[in-house]
Amino acid sequence: MTAETSNLIEVRNLVKYFPVYEPGILTKRQTGIVHAVDDVTFNIREKETFAIVGESGCGKTTTARLLLNLIEPTGGTVLFHGENVFEKLNSKNEKERLAQRRKMQLIFQNPYGSLDPRMTVFDIISEPFVIHRHVKRKQWKSRVYELLNLVGLEEYHAERYPHEFSGGQRQRICIARALAMEPEFIVADEPVSSLDVSIRAQILNLLISLQEKMGLTYLYISHDLSSVRQISHRVAVMYLGEIVELADTDELFNNPLHGYTQALIKAVPIPDPKTKTMRVILPGEVPSPINPPKGCRFHPRCLYASEECAKSAPKLQELKPGHWVACNKPYLQ
């Protein structure tokens, strides 16, 4: 895949901490802080699919929610076409706030849970027209039918309710609802994780097709490296709230430089019983984000760790053109 070089999204030193309180009836005493996202920086180019991968709890979804300002950041900035997203989405000017919200949309992980069971598909897809008033009422019906056809559904589906559809069809409805805003940027938060394998391929192909037709930009969140390799242009690997490696998709999969990335890729099953692979078994468990390890956060589980790794936290550095790694071990290059 190829992508445009200009940046649509610029994320700078993004931080999100969640306070932890001791349970009490009358008072609450803060006992710690969850380091959910810690000093994350990256760019997303126009018309590309940028993927974030990692284990559950590494901060992928929190990062996505921060980009859309669904939760307030502790620190850092997010720029959209060079303008501060947080200022736009918190503006007292309703017209400005809604205009920015239309440009950035979200496809949820659970398609059934994100659809109101009391509303028909027509009501679900046309609800953005009611809120944002960017489509004239007389055009609602034709626009809903157009969106249904665009995602591979039929016009008669508009009168049905969510429980009458399969999981793949529900996700298509969610995609149609996101497209109703005419966005430039879509966050897809594990959009195929709850679907059957055959349906996953259909939804991924649909997302790729829509990107080519409409010039969309995606942030794709997943722990499934197979789908990431199929759909993404570039990949960022997160561990315990930090990005530890970032590169073009082919470069990352063919030449992973970080020990954590190597372990993730080795864990991907190969659909050939005759092919033998050496899995990398990481020792221990993922540390608590309330009390992350000092130095490199991955060093307690890293097979290459040294004393330096326990003392010094590595910075994300460009070891090869376009290939960024946060690691203290130069021989991994």
Side-chain angles (χ1 to χ4, degrees), residues 230-273:
Q230 178 182 345
I231 195 174
S232 64
H233 298 92
R234 290 187 300 145
V235 182
V237 180
M238 285 193 75
Y239 182 80
L240 217 59
E242 296 180 337
I243 291 180
V244 297
E245 188 161 5
L246 192 160
D248 290 342
T249 302
D250 289 339
E251 168 67 15
L252 186 89
F253 278 85
N254 295 332
N255 188 29
L257 302 182
H258 196 279
Y260 179 60
T261 309
Q262 293 171 5
L264 287 180
I265 293 175
K266 288 289 186 181
V268 176
I270 298 176
D272 184 355

Short mmCIF file of all heavy atoms in Angstrom, two decimals, residues 230-273:
data_model
loop_
_atom_site.label_atom_id
_atom_site.label_comp_id
_atom_site.label_asym_id
_atom_site.label_seq_id
_atom_site.Cartn_x
_atom_site.Cartn_y
_atom_site.Cartn_z
N GLN A 230 -3.03 -6.99 6.90
CA GLN A 230 -3.86 -6.90 5.70
C GLN A 230 -4.27 -5.46 5.38
O GLN A 230 -4.28 -5.05 4.22
CB GLN A 230 -5.12 -7.75 5.85
CG GLN A 230 -6.06 -7.67 4.66
CD GLN A 230 -7.33 -8.48 4.86
OE1 GLN A 230 -7.40 -9.32 5.75
NE2 GLN A 230 -8.33 -8.24 4.03
N ILE A 231 -4.56 -4.68 6.42
CA ILE A 231 -5.23 -3.40 6.18
C ILE A 231 -4.33 -2.18 6.36
O ILE A 231 -4.61 -1.11 5.80
CB ILE A 231 -6.46 -3.27 7.11
CG1 ILE A 231 -7.38 -2.15 6.63
CG2 ILE A 231 -6.06 -3.08 8.55
CD1 ILE A 231 -8.68 -2.05 7.39
N SER A 232 -3.24 -2.28 7.12
CA SER A 232 -2.53 -1.07 7.55
C SER A 232 -1.34 -0.72 6.67
O SER A 232 -0.74 -1.57 6.01
CB SER A 232 -2.05 -1.24 9.00
OG SER A 232 -1.11 -2.28 9.08
N HIS A 233 -1.01 0.58 6.67
CA HIS A 233 0.19 1.08 6.01
C HIS A 233 1.37 1.12 6.98
O HIS A 233 2.49 0.78 6.64
CB HIS A 233 -0.04 2.49 5.47
CG HIS A 233 -1.11 2.60 4.43
ND1 HIS A 233 -2.41 2.88 4.75
CD2 HIS A 233 -1.07 2.45 3.08
CE1 HIS A 233 -3.14 2.91 3.64
NE2 HIS A 233 -2.35 2.65 2.62
N ARG A 234 1.10 1.62 8.19
CA ARG A 234 2.12 1.69 9.24
C ARG A 234 1.55 1.14 10.53
O ARG A 234 0.34 1.17 10.74
CB ARG A 234 2.61 3.12 9.45
CG ARG A 234 3.45 3.68 8.29
CD ARG A 234 4.04 5.04 8.65
NE ARG A 234 3.00 6.01 8.95
CZ ARG A 234 3.11 6.97 9.86
NH1 ARG A 234 4.20 7.05 10.60
NH2 ARG A 234 2.13 7.82 10.05
N VAL A 235 2.46 0.67 11.40
CA VAL A 235 2.04 0.03 12.65
C VAL A 235 2.85 0.58 13.81
O VAL A 235 4.08 0.72 13.71
CB VAL A 235 2.22 -1.51 12.59
CG1 VAL A 235 1.73 -2.16 13.87
CG2 VAL A 235 1.50 -2.09 11.39
N ALA A 236 2.15 0.90 14.90
CA ALA A 236 2.80 1.26 16.17
C ALA A 236 2.50 0.16 17.18
O ALA A 236 1.36 -0.26 17.32
CB ALA A 236 2.29 2.60 16.68
N VAL A 237 3.53 -0.32 17.86
CA VAL A 237 3.38 -1.36 18.88
C VAL A 237 3.42 -0.70 20.25
O VAL A 237 4.38 0.01 20.57
CB VAL A 237 4.50 -2.41 18.76
CG1 VAL A 237 4.34 -3.49 19.82
CG2 VAL A 237 4.51 -3.03 17.36
N MET A 238 2.37 -0.92 21.05
CA MET A 238 2.30 -0.33 22.39
C MET A 238 2.52 -1.39 23.47
O MET A 238 2.07 -2.53 23.32
CB MET A 238 0.94 0.34 22.62
CG MET A 238 0.77 1.66 21.91
SD MET A 238 -0.68 2.59 22.49
CE MET A 238 -0.08 3.21 24.07
N TYR A 239 3.20 -0.97 24.51
CA TYR A 239 3.39 -1.84 25.68
C TYR A 239 3.31 -0.98 26.92
O TYR A 239 4.09 -0.03 27.10
CB TYR A 239 4.74 -2.55 25.62
CG TYR A 239 4.97 -3.51 26.77
CD1 TYR A 239 4.39 -4.78 26.75
CD2 TYR A 239 5.73 -3.14 27.88
CE1 TYR A 239 4.58 -5.66 27.81
CE2 TYR A 239 5.92 -4.01 28.94
CZ TYR A 239 5.34 -5.27 28.90
OH TYR A 239 5.51 -6.14 29.95
N LEU A 240 2.34 -1.27 27.78
CA LEU A 240 2.19 -0.61 29.07
C LEU A 240 2.15 0.92 28.92
O LEU A 240 2.82 1.65 29.64
CB LEU A 240 3.31 -1.03 30.01
CG LEU A 240 2.95 -1.21 31.49
CD1 LEU A 240 1.86 -2.25 31.65
CD2 LEU A 240 4.17 -1.58 32.30
N GLY A 241 1.35 1.39 27.95
CA GLY A 241 1.12 2.82 27.79
C GLY A 241 2.12 3.56 26.94
O GLY A 241 1.99 4.78 26.75
N GLU A 242 3.13 2.87 26.41
CA GLU A 242 4.16 3.52 25.61
C GLU A 242 4.29 2.85 24.24
O GLU A 242 4.06 1.65 24.11
CB GLU A 242 5.52 3.46 26.32
CG GLU A 242 5.58 4.20 27.62
CD GLU A 242 6.95 4.11 28.28
OE1 GLU A 242 7.71 3.16 27.97
OE2 GLU A 242 7.27 5.00 29.10
N ILE A 243 4.68 3.62 23.24
CA ILE A 243 5.00 3.06 21.93
C ILE A 243 6.44 2.58 21.96
O ILE A 243 7.36 3.35 22.26
CB ILE A 243 4.79 4.09 20.81
CG1 ILE A 243 3.30 4.39 20.62
CG2 ILE A 243 5.39 3.59 19.49
CD1 ILE A 243 2.99 5.39 19.54
N VAL A 244 6.65 1.29 21.67
CA VAL A 244 8.00 0.73 21.71
C VAL A 244 8.58 0.52 20.32
O VAL A 244 9.80 0.36 20.18
CB VAL A 244 8.02 -0.60 22.49
CG1 VAL A 244 7.62 -0.37 23.95
CG2 VAL A 244 7.11 -1.64 21.85
N GLU A 245 7.72 0.50 19.29
CA GLU A 245 8.23 0.36 17.92
C GLU A 245 7.19 0.89 16.95
O GLU A 245 5.99 0.75 17.16
CB GLU A 245 8.55 -1.11 17.60
CG GLU A 245 9.26 -1.30 16.27
CD GLU A 245 9.97 -2.64 16.15
OE1 GLU A 245 9.84 -3.49 17.07
OE2 GLU A 245 10.64 -2.86 15.12
N LEU A 246 7.68 1.53 15.88
CA LEU A 246 6.80 2.11 14.86
C LEU A 246 7.51 2.02 13.52
O LEU A 246 8.67 2.44 13.39
CB LEU A 246 6.48 3.57 15.21
CG LEU A 246 5.37 4.29 14.44
CD1 LEU A 246 4.88 5.51 15.24
CD2 LEU A 246 5.81 4.74 13.06
N ALA A 247 6.81 1.45 12.51
CA ALA A 247 7.43 1.30 11.19
C ALA A 247 6.36 1.00 10.15
O ALA A 247 5.19 0.75 10.49
CB ALA A 247 8.46 0.17 11.21
N ASP A 248 6.76 1.03 8.88
CA ASP A 248 5.88 0.57 7.81
C ASP A 248 5.53 -0.89 8.07
O ASP A 248 6.33 -1.64 8.64
CB ASP A 248 6.56 0.71 6.45
CG ASP A 248 6.73 2.16 6.03
OD1 ASP A 248 6.04 3.03 6.61
OD2 ASP A 248 7.55 2.43 5.13
N THR A 249 4.36 -1.30 7.62
CA THR A 249 3.85 -2.64 7.95
C THR A 249 4.80 -3.74 7.51
O THR A 249 5.17 -4.62 8.31
CB THR A 249 2.47 -2.85 7.31
OG1 THR A 249 1.59 -1.83 7.76
CG2 THR A 249 1.90 -4.20 7.69
N ASP A 250 5.22 -3.73 6.26
CA ASP A 250 6.11 -4.79 5.77
C ASP A 250 7.44 -4.79 6.52
O ASP A 250 7.98 -5.85 6.85
CB ASP A 250 6.34 -4.63 4.27
CG ASP A 250 5.11 -4.96 3.44
OD1 ASP A 250 4.22 -5.67 3.97
OD2 ASP A 250 5.01 -4.50 2.29
N GLU A 251 7.98 -3.61 6.77
CA GLU A 251 9.24 -3.50 7.49
C GLU A 251 9.12 -4.06 8.90
O GLU A 251 9.99 -4.78 9.38
CB GLU A 251 9.68 -2.03 7.53
CG GLU A 251 10.83 -1.73 8.48
CD GLU A 251 12.16 -2.35 8.08
OE1 GLU A 251 12.29 -2.80 6.92
OE2 GLU A 251 13.06 -2.41 8.94
N LEU A 252 8.01 -3.75 9.57
CA LEU A 252 7.82 -4.20 10.95
C LEU A 252 7.71 -5.72 11.02
O LEU A 252 8.31 -6.36 11.89
CB LEU A 252 6.58 -3.56 11.55
CG LEU A 252 6.37 -3.86 13.04
CD1 LEU A 252 7.10 -2.82 13.89
CD2 LEU A 252 4.90 -3.88 13.40
N PHE A 253 6.93 -6.31 10.11
CA PHE A 253 6.72 -7.76 10.15
C PHE A 253 7.95 -8.53 9.66
O PHE A 253 8.21 -9.63 10.15
CB PHE A 253 5.50 -8.13 9.31
CG PHE A 253 4.18 -7.94 10.03
CD1 PHE A 253 3.55 -6.71 10.03
CD2 PHE A 253 3.60 -8.98 10.72
CE1 PHE A 253 2.35 -6.52 10.69
CE2 PHE A 253 2.39 -8.80 11.40
CZ PHE A 253 1.77 -7.56 11.38
N ASN A 254 8.68 -7.97 8.72
CA ASN A 254 9.84 -8.67 8.17
C ASN A 254 11.10 -8.45 8.99
O ASN A 254 12.02 -9.27 8.96
CB ASN A 254 10.09 -8.22 6.73
CG ASN A 254 8.97 -8.62 5.79
OD1 ASN A 254 8.29 -9.62 6.02
ND2 ASN A 254 8.76 -7.85 4.73
N ASN A 255 11.15 -7.33 9.73
CA ASN A 255 12.37 -7.01 10.46
C ASN A 255 12.06 -6.34 11.80
O ASN A 255 12.41 -5.19 12.03
CB ASN A 255 13.27 -6.09 9.60
CG ASN A 255 14.63 -5.88 10.24
OD1 ASN A 255 15.13 -6.73 10.96
ND2 ASN A 255 15.21 -4.72 9.99
N PRO A 256 11.36 -7.04 12.71
CA PRO A 256 11.06 -6.44 14.02
C PRO A 256 12.33 -6.27 14.83
O PRO A 256 13.15 -7.18 14.93
CB PRO A 256 10.11 -7.47 14.65
CG PRO A 256 10.46 -8.77 13.99
CD PRO A 256 10.88 -8.42 12.59
N LEU A 257 12.50 -5.08 15.44
CA LEU A 257 13.73 -4.78 16.16
C LEU A 257 13.56 -4.82 17.67
O LEU A 257 14.55 -4.89 18.39
CB LEU A 257 14.24 -3.39 15.75
CG LEU A 257 14.54 -3.19 14.26
CD1 LEU A 257 15.09 -1.80 14.02
CD2 LEU A 257 15.52 -4.26 13.76
N HIS A 258 12.35 -4.74 18.17
CA HIS A 258 12.11 -4.75 19.62
C HIS A 258 11.73 -6.16 20.07
O HIS A 258 11.01 -6.87 19.37
CB HIS A 258 11.00 -3.76 19.97
CG HIS A 258 10.94 -3.43 21.42
ND1 HIS A 258 10.33 -4.24 22.36
CD2 HIS A 258 11.41 -2.35 22.11
CE1 HIS A 258 10.43 -3.68 23.56
NE2 HIS A 258 11.07 -2.54 23.44
N GLY A 259 12.19 -6.54 21.24
CA GLY A 259 11.92 -7.89 21.74
C GLY A 259 10.44 -8.18 21.89
O GLY A 259 9.99 -9.31 21.65
N TYR A 260 9.65 -7.19 22.27
CA TYR A 260 8.21 -7.38 22.43
C TYR A 260 7.54 -7.60 21.08
O TYR A 260 6.69 -8.49 20.93
CB TYR A 260 7.60 -6.17 23.14
CG TYR A 260 6.11 -6.25 23.34
CD1 TYR A 260 5.55 -7.29 24.09
CD2 TYR A 260 5.26 -5.30 22.80
CE1 TYR A 260 4.18 -7.36 24.29
CE2 TYR A 260 3.90 -5.37 23.00
CZ TYR A 260 3.36 -6.40 23.74
OH TYR A 260 2.00 -6.48 23.93
N THR A 261 7.94 -6.82 20.08
CA THR A 261 7.38 -6.98 18.73
C THR A 261 7.71 -8.36 18.18
O THR A 261 6.87 -9.02 17.56
CB THR A 261 7.92 -5.90 17.78
OG1 THR A 261 7.76 -4.62 18.37
CG2 THR A 261 7.21 -5.93 16.45
N GLN A 262 8.94 -8.81 18.41
CA GLN A 262 9.34 -10.14 17.94
C GLN A 262 8.47 -11.22 18.56
O GLN A 262 8.04 -12.15 17.87
CB GLN A 262 10.82 -10.38 18.28
CG GLN A 262 11.78 -9.47 17.53
CD GLN A 262 13.20 -9.58 18.05
OE1 GLN A 262 13.51 -10.41 18.91
NE2 GLN A 262 14.08 -8.74 17.54
N ALA A 263 8.18 -11.09 19.84
CA ALA A 263 7.35 -12.08 20.52
C ALA A 263 5.92 -12.06 19.98
O ALA A 263 5.30 -13.12 19.79
CB ALA A 263 7.35 -11.82 22.02
N LEU A 264 5.37 -10.88 19.72
CA LEU A 264 4.01 -10.78 19.18
C LEU A 264 3.91 -11.45 17.81
O LEU A 264 2.97 -12.19 17.52
CB LEU A 264 3.59 -9.31 19.06
CG LEU A 264 3.25 -8.55 20.35
CD1 LEU A 264 2.87 -7.12 20.01
CD2 LEU A 264 2.12 -9.23 21.10
N ILE A 265 4.88 -11.18 16.96
CA ILE A 265 4.83 -11.72 15.59
C ILE A 265 5.03 -13.24 15.61
O ILE A 265 4.38 -13.97 14.87
CB ILE A 265 5.90 -11.03 14.72
CG1 ILE A 265 5.52 -9.55 14.53
CG2 ILE A 265 6.04 -11.73 13.37
CD1 ILE A 265 6.55 -8.74 13.78
N LYS A 266 5.91 -13.73 16.48
CA LYS A 266 6.13 -15.17 16.58
C LYS A 266 4.89 -15.91 17.09
O LYS A 266 4.70 -17.10 16.84
CB LYS A 266 7.32 -15.46 17.50
CG LYS A 266 8.67 -15.11 16.91
CD LYS A 266 9.07 -16.05 15.80
CE LYS A 266 10.48 -15.78 15.33
NZ LYS A 266 10.88 -16.69 14.21
N ALA A 267 4.02 -15.19 17.81
CA ALA A 267 2.82 -15.81 18.37
C ALA A 267 1.69 -15.93 17.37
O ALA A 267 0.69 -16.60 17.65
CB ALA A 267 2.34 -15.01 19.58
N VAL A 268 1.81 -15.31 16.20
CA VAL A 268 0.76 -15.39 15.18
C VAL A 268 0.72 -16.79 14.60
O VAL A 268 1.74 -17.27 14.08
CB VAL A 268 1.00 -14.35 14.06
CG1 VAL A 268 -0.05 -14.50 12.96
CG2 VAL A 268 0.99 -12.95 14.62
N PRO A 269 -0.40 -17.49 14.66
CA PRO A 269 -0.46 -18.86 14.12
C PRO A 269 -0.37 -18.87 12.61
O PRO A 269 -0.91 -17.99 11.93
CB PRO A 269 -1.83 -19.36 14.60
CG PRO A 269 -2.64 -18.13 14.82
CD PRO A 269 -1.67 -17.08 15.27
N ILE A 270 0.32 -19.85 12.07
CA ILE A 270 0.45 -20.03 10.63
C ILE A 270 -0.48 -21.17 10.20
O ILE A 270 -0.39 -22.28 10.74
CB ILE A 270 1.90 -20.35 10.24
CG1 ILE A 270 2.82 -19.18 10.62
CG2 ILE A 270 2.01 -20.64 8.73
CD1 ILE A 270 4.28 -19.44 10.37
N PRO A 271 -1.39 -20.93 9.24
CA PRO A 271 -2.38 -21.96 8.86
C PRO A 271 -1.78 -23.05 7.97
O PRO A 271 -2.26 -23.32 6.88
CB PRO A 271 -3.44 -21.13 8.12
CG PRO A 271 -2.69 -19.99 7.53
CD PRO A 271 -1.61 -19.65 8.52
N ASP A 272 -0.71 -23.67 8.45
CA ASP A 272 -0.08 -24.76 7.72
C ASP A 272 0.54 -25.71 8.74
O ASP A 272 1.55 -25.38 9.39
CB ASP A 272 1.00 -24.23 6.77
CG ASP A 272 1.61 -25.33 5.91
OD1 ASP A 272 1.27 -26.52 6.12
OD2 ASP A 272 2.43 -25.02 5.03
N PRO A 273 -0.04 -26.90 8.94
CA PRO A 273 0.46 -27.82 9.97
C PRO A 273 1.89 -28.31 9.72
O PRO A 273 2.55 -28.77 10.64
CB PRO A 273 -0.54 -28.97 9.93
CG PRO A 273 -1.17 -28.90 8.57
CD PRO A 273 -1.19 -27.46 8.21
#
